[in-house]
C-alpha cells in the first residue's frame, strides 16, 4: 500500500509539473538534446527568472537534472530524466537528409554515435570533429567491439569538409558545442571518456549515447 501511495504521489507531481504549457515545451525540447538555461530562455522568449522557476518545478518532479559543462565550468546544461517521462513525450516530427555527429576530436563519442545510428536508423549518418585526432581512441574501438560494432576503416574527419546543407547536426561534447557558432543543432552533453581513459568511462559514454540514439532514431525520418 505504501508503494502504491508513493507511485500515485509521484504520478500526480509529474502531471502537475507538465500541466503548464511552457514546462511541457521545455520537456519537448530536452527530449531531443540538452540545453543551457540561456538557450532555453532564447528558445522560449522568456525572462530568465521565469525559466528558472519552471526548471525548479521540473527538477522537483524528477523530470530534469543539471550538470556543469566539461568545457566552460561556468555553464550548466539541463538534461531530461528519461525514466520519468515514459509515455509522456510528444511524437517527434524531425526530418533530415542526414544526421551528423560532432565532437572535438572525432575519436570516440561521435564515432560511437555514428556506428550506433547505423544500426538503429535508415537515415544516413556521418561524424566529424572540430579538431580531429590522428586516429580512433583505443578505448572507443574496444567498447565498440564488446558491443558488436566495428569501427575498422573509420578515421577522424574535419567538420568543415564533412558538413552538408540540411544536416541534422548533433554535438556530442560540450567543447565542440560551445566552440561552434549558435545554430539549430542538437547537443548531447556526454562526458569525455578519453580524458578518463578507463574501460568504465568508455562503457558509461557508450551507454548514454546508445540510449539517446535509440530514442532519437524513432523521432527522425529522412527528408
Amino acid at each position: 500500500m505504501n508503494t502504491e501511495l508513493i507511485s500515485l504521489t509521484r504520478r500526480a507531481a509529474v502531471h502537475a509539473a507538465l500541466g503548464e504549457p511552457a514546462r511541457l515545451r521545455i520537456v519537448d525540447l530536452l527530449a531531443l538534446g540538452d540545453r543551457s538555461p540561456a538557450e532555453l530562455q532564447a528558445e522560449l522568449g522568456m525572462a530568465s527568472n521565469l525559466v528558472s522557476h519552471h526548471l525548479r518545478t521540473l527538477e522537483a518532479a524528477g523530470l530534469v537534472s543539471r550538470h556543469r559543462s566539461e568545457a566552460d565550468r561556468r555553464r550548466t546544461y539541463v538534461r531530461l530524466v528519461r525514466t520519468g517521462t515514459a509515455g509522456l513525450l510528444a511524437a517527434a516530427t524531425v526530418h533530415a537528409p542526414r544526421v551528423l555527429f560532432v565532437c572535438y576530436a572525432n575519436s570516440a563519442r561521435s564515432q560511437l554515435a555514428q556506428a550506433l545510428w547505423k544500426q538503429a536508423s535508415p537515415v544516413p549518418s556521418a561524424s566529424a570533429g572540430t579538431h580531429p585526432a590522428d586516429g580512433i581512441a583505443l578505448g572507443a574501438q574496444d567498447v565498440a567491439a564488446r558491443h558488436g560494432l566495428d569501427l575498422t576503416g573509420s578515421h577522424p574527419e574535419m567538420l568543415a569538409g564533412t558538413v552538408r546543407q540540411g544536416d541534422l547536426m548533433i554535438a556530442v561534447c560540450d567543447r565542440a558545442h560551445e566552440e561552434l557558432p549558435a545554430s539549430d543543432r542538437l547537443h548531447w552533453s556526454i562526458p569525455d571518456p578519453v580524458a578518463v581513459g578507463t574501460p568504465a568511462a568508455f562503457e558509461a559514454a557508450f551507454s548514454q549515447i546508445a540510449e539517446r540514439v535509440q530514442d532519437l532514431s524513432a523521432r527522425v525520418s529522412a527528408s
Side-chain angles (χ1 to χ4, degrees):
M1 180 62 72
N2 286 342
T3 302
E4 202 173 301
L5 289 173
I6 291 170
S7 176
L8 284 171
T9 302
R10 160 77 178 147
R11 286 166 56 202
V14 168
H15 285 286
L18 295 178
E20 158 64 46
R23 290 196 285 271
L24 196 56
R25 175 62 177 152
I26 289 171
V27 167
D28 284 347
L29 289 170
L30 296 179
L32 299 176
D34 304 334
R35 306 270 182 140
S36 69
E39 289 168 341
L40 289 170
Q41 180 184 347
E43 182 71 33
L44 296 169
M46 187 177 291
S48 61
N49 62 333
L50 192 50
V51 171
S52 295
H53 164 71
H54 289 317
L55 290 178
R56 286 194 299 270
T57 300
L58 291 171
E59 274 187 300
L63 294 171
V64 304
S65 64
R66 307 190 212 202
H67 66 279
R68 291 284 177 187
S69 164
E70 281 192 327
D72 183 350
R73 300 297 293 175
R74 297 167 299 178
R75 181 185 296 226
T76 61
Y77 287 111
V78 184
R79 174 178 297 167
L80 187 68
V81 178
R82 294 174 189 278
T83 54
T85 57
L88 297 174
L89 301 181
T93 53
V94 181
H95 302 283
R98 191 178 69 156
V99 176
L100 176 61
F101 296 99
V102 180
C103 66
Y104 186 81
N106 192 215
S107 65
R109 288 165 288 183
S110 52
Q111 295 283 352
L112 293 170
Q114 183 188 3
L116 284 161
W117 187 270
K118 286 181 177 178
Q119 280 192 336
S121 173
V123 178
S125 62
S127 69
T130 55
H131 299 271
D134 293 331
I136 307 300
L138 181 59
Q141 297 178 49
D142 289 345
V143 74
R146 286 196 295 272
H147 291 274
L149 298 176
D150 186 6
L151 297 184
T152 303
S154 299
H155 53 87
E157 300 281 358
M158 176 66 74
L159 175 61
T162 305
V163 64
R164 299 176 186 169
Q165 185 173 2
D167 278 346
L168 173 60
M169 186 185 296
I170 304 173
V172 294
C173 81
D174 298 338
R175 196 170 179 182
H177 177 63
E178 293 167 21
E179 176 184 342
L180 292 169
S183 74
D184 291 333
R185 70 177 169 274
L186 303 180
H187 176 215
W188 297 350
S189 182
I190 309 294
D192 183 11
V194 177
V196 180
T198 63
F202 281 96
E203 283 288 350
F206 184 95
S207 177
Q208 287 191 44
I209 295 168
E211 179 182 32
R212 293 187 184 235
V213 165
Q214 190 63 37
D215 183 72
L216 185 64
S217 62
R219 302 165 176 271
V220 178
S221 61
S223 61

